Amino acid sequence: MSHQQLRVLQVMRAPVGGLFRHVADLTRELASRGHAVGLIVDSIANDGQTEAKLADLASSASLGIHRVAMPRLLGQGDLLAPMAVRRLCRQLHIDIVHGHGAKGGFYARLARLSGTKAAAFYTPHGGVLHYSAQSATGRIFHFLERALMRQTAAVIFESQYAKATYARVIGEPTCPSPVIYNGLTPEEFEPVTADGDAADFVFVGELRALKGIFPLVEAMDGLVRPDGQPATLVVAGDGGERGAMEAAIATRGLGDRIHLVGAQPARAMFARGRVALVPSLAESLPYVVLEAAAAKLPVIATNVGGIGEIFGPTASDLVPAGDADALRAKMQTTLAHPDVAAASMRQRLEHISEHFSVGRMTDAIEAQYLAAIPTS
């Protein structure tokens, strides 16, 4: 723990998904170490679930949770939001302003450009990398990334994959650019025991094509247990393509083997399946892989994004994205040889325990913050 108390402002647009999970974990851990932390979020993102998450975080945000209009697309609000960030930096005597995602990163660094003395940090979380260089918006975002590099104390990447992608799409950062993995809390490393009627497999995630839901349905067709009974799958999640997934399930006659239960907490769902599936077509560093592995579930996942970094010494277990036959073969092998899957799970768990804890993550980020603050 540092003896120097910092005043930190975290900036993000929408407090949802893995980005918000990361910010929330970092905020709580920094606060527990004696630092004062505040948040800036979009004033429009105010549905009930978001409000509940922010309310739960309020006790760790001693500098407050502040609302600023942050348009999803480029617009006039992008000229006003950095001024609001700068004003809060001055009012709250901020040492560190840390932007998360494309918009949060721009606002944090534009605030510094317009006069705040706070050191500006930036974690992309994929954000700007999702914009094609062929689109007008993408070209503007990529130009701004390069132009704001001089205002950046460090670009912190959550995976080697994200860092390599940024270098390819934007260019090599000219400031420090450490890779600091997201982390799990000690409670998340407690094992989950499968229910007596647990399905063979469990999927937790958004129901959209990018998450590999259609190759997953195809892979379930013809999949059998060693006793000859059809394999079963429970699916937790919602999304715009739920209807299309239900239609694909019906077309293959798999309605009695694939059960959709809607959005549910990941850890609760891990008790309802014996093997976790992450068949994504694209990812950065998905928390669900970390969470399932930490809960001591075997995990079958695709070789995309930073998943190989999570799998570490078991990365050879990953399957090609979008290949239903390869996915089915891996699932069939796992059903036939649960002892082999369990051995891989233990090896993977040891790797994750060492490299993906909240304490380790915060140690590394805190060290970056302190290095940017002049000592007197």
Side-chain angles (χ1 to χ4, degrees):
M1 176 177 170
S2 165
H3 295 294
Q4 181 179 357
Q5 186 191 58
L6 298 173
R7 299 176 68 82
V8 181
L9 193 59
Q10 309 276 356
V11 186
M12 59 184 162
R13 195 186 71 82
V16 295
L19 185 156
F20 179 63
R21 160 69 196 266
H22 170 81
V23 172
D25 285 344
L26 181 59
T27 296
R28 291 190 179 98
E29 189 69 15
L30 287 171
S32 75
R33 298 176 182 209
H35 302 299
V37 186
L39 277 72
I40 298 180
V41 301
D42 183 15
S43 58
I44 302 170
N46 55 3
D47 61 87
Q49 187 176 15
T50 297
E51 291 303 317
K53 289 180 179 179
L54 290 172
D56 186 54
L57 191 58
S59 61
S60 296
S62 61
L63 299 181
I65 297 176
H66 307 272
R67 310 305 181 104
V68 172
M70 301 181 185
R72 184 173 182 274
L73 302 177
L74 288 172
Q76 184 178 0
D78 292 310
L79 301 176
L80 301 176
M83 300 300 103
V85 175
R86 181 189 66 177
R87 185 169 59 252
L88 280 166
C89 284
R90 288 177 171 176
Q91 290 174 354
L92 299 172
H93 306 289
I94 295 299
D95 301 306
I96 302 291
V97 56
H98 189 161
H100 299 267
K103 285 299 182 78
F106 289 149
Y107 297 154
R109 292 174 294 169
L110 284 169
R112 178 171 172 78
L113 185 64
S114 62
T116 180
K117 302 294 186 184
F121 286 77
Y122 169 44
T123 301
H125 296 283
V128 72
L129 306 179
H130 295 156
Y131 293 95
S132 169
Q134 307 307 313
S135 69
T137 299
R139 287 193 294 271
I140 293 170
F141 273 132
H142 295 173
F143 168 79
L144 287 171
E145 282 290 329
R146 290 185 282 268
L148 291 171
M149 191 62 66
R150 290 183 180 180
Q151 306 302 323
T152 312
V155 181
I156 298 175
F157 294 100
E158 76 276 18
S159 66
Q160 293 288 352
Y161 165 79
K163 182 173 182 175
T165 304
Y166 187 96
R168 176 173 53 80
V169 174
I170 308 296
E172 290 283 353
T174 55
C175 62
S177 54
V179 172
I180 300 176
Y181 291 129
N182 295 335
L184 300 179
T185 63
E187 311 86 70
E188 290 175 293
F189 285 95
E190 293 295 323
V192 170
T193 302
D195 295 340
D197 59 349
D200 297 299
F201 301 99
V202 57
F203 168 93
V204 181
E206 191 176 357
L207 301 188
R208 57 183 180 130
L210 197 66
K211 296 299 182 181
I213 58 175
F214 299 114
L216 174 56
V217 171
E218 185 179 346
M220 283 294 296
D221 198 353
L223 192 65
V224 295
R225 302 170 183 161
D227 63 4
Q229 294 298 311
T232 56
L233 165 68
V234 61
V235 174
D238 262 314
E241 293 179 276
R242 174 170 180 155
M245 185 180 188
E246 289 173 332
I249 292 169
T251 297
R252 293 180 178 274
L254 300 174
D256 58 341
R257 296 172 51 195
I258 302 178
H259 302 284
L260 277 61
V261 298
Q264 303 284 341
R267 192 166 173 84
M269 289 306 305
F270 295 151
R272 298 183 59 179
R274 301 182 188 280
V275 177
L277 300 176
V278 186
S280 301
L281 307 185
E283 287 286 359
S284 180
L285 195 79
Y287 269 104
V288 69
V289 178
L290 291 169
E291 292 166 340
K296 294 192 176 180
L297 264 71
V299 181
I300 297 174
T302 46
N303 190 15
V304 296
I307 294 180
E309 296 169 60
I310 299 174
F311 267 52
T314 64
S316 60
D317 290 348
L318 296 170
V319 300
D323 188 333
D325 292 336
L327 180 59
R328 183 188 300 111
K330 186 65 177 179
M331 294 165 70
Q332 192 72 70
T333 299
T334 301
L335 289 171
H337 302 285
D339 53 335
V340 175
S344 290
M345 176 272 291
R346 289 190 292 271
Q347 193 177 8
R348 193 173 305 125
L349 178 61
E350 183 177 351
H351 172 72
I352 291 171
S353 299
E354 180 180 355
H355 296 285
F356 294 87
S357 73
V358 162
R360 183 186 178 101
M361 176 190 81
T362 309
D363 285 345
I365 294 176
E366 182 185 42
Q368 290 290 321
Y369 288 172
L370 290 168
I373 301 298
T375 56
S376 56

